[in-house]
């Protein structure tokens, strides 16, 4: 067990804690991989699978439903490309993608 610093308030706490005991800031799930997120986005991004993996169920459902329409398919393709670019930019800080705020 290692001690880490909270990104929100700077307090030290266990790396096993899901949230900071001082401020309540929710830490991201360390069991999820940014590489898996990017691969899911690249191959299945228009269906929103990467969003389900990141724990963003609502927007994943919206992407999946939009993909079922011709016009929505274009929207989700652009949305998935933007998510991919954001994922690549945050490759060293995956808590920005997997954080549940």
């Amino acid at each position: 067990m290692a001690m880490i610093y909270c990104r929100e308030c700077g307090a030290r706490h266990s790396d096993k804690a899901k949230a900071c005991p001082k401020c309540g800031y929710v830490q991201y799930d360390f069991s999820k991989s940014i590489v898996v997120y990017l691969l899911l986005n690249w191959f299945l991004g228009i269906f929103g699978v990467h969003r389900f993996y990141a724990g963003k169920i609502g927007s994943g459902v919206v992407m999946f439903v939009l993909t079922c329409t011709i016009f929505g398919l274009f929207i989700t393709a652009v949305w998935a490309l933007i998510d991919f670019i954001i994922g690549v930019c945050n490759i060293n800080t995956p808590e920005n993608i997997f954080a549940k705020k």
Side-chain angles (χ1 to χ4, degrees):
M1 178 176 78
M3 297 298 284
I4 60 172
Y5 291 96
C6 175
R7 289 189 166 272
E8 192 70 22
C9 70
R12 286 184 60 173
H13 60 85
S14 168
D15 63 343
K16 304 291 182 194
K18 296 213 182 251
C20 175
K22 183 175 179 185
C23 69
Y25 179 75
V26 179
Q27 307 296 321
Y28 80 99
D29 188 358
F30 288 94
S31 66
K32 294 185 179 178
S33 168
I34 189 74
V35 174
V36 173
Y37 174 84
L38 291 173
L39 288 172
L40 286 172
N41 188 344
W42 186 255
F43 292 109
L44 299 169
I46 60 171
F47 299 108
V49 175
H50 62 290
R51 292 224 158 226
F52 287 108
Y53 181 74
K56 299 173 182 175
I57 306 301
S59 58
V61 169
V62 170
M63 284 185 82
F64 184 76
V65 170
L66 278 174
T67 301
C68 296
T69 66
I70 302 280
F71 183 69
L73 185 62
F74 174 74
I75 293 171
T76 56
V78 173
W79 190 353
L81 178 63
I82 292 169
D83 280 350
F84 186 80
I85 292 168
I86 290 171
V88 170
C89 291
N90 288 306
I91 202 153
N92 292 326
T93 54
E95 62 271 11
N96 293 340
I97 294 173
F98 299 120
K100 294 183 180 183
K101 297 180 182 179

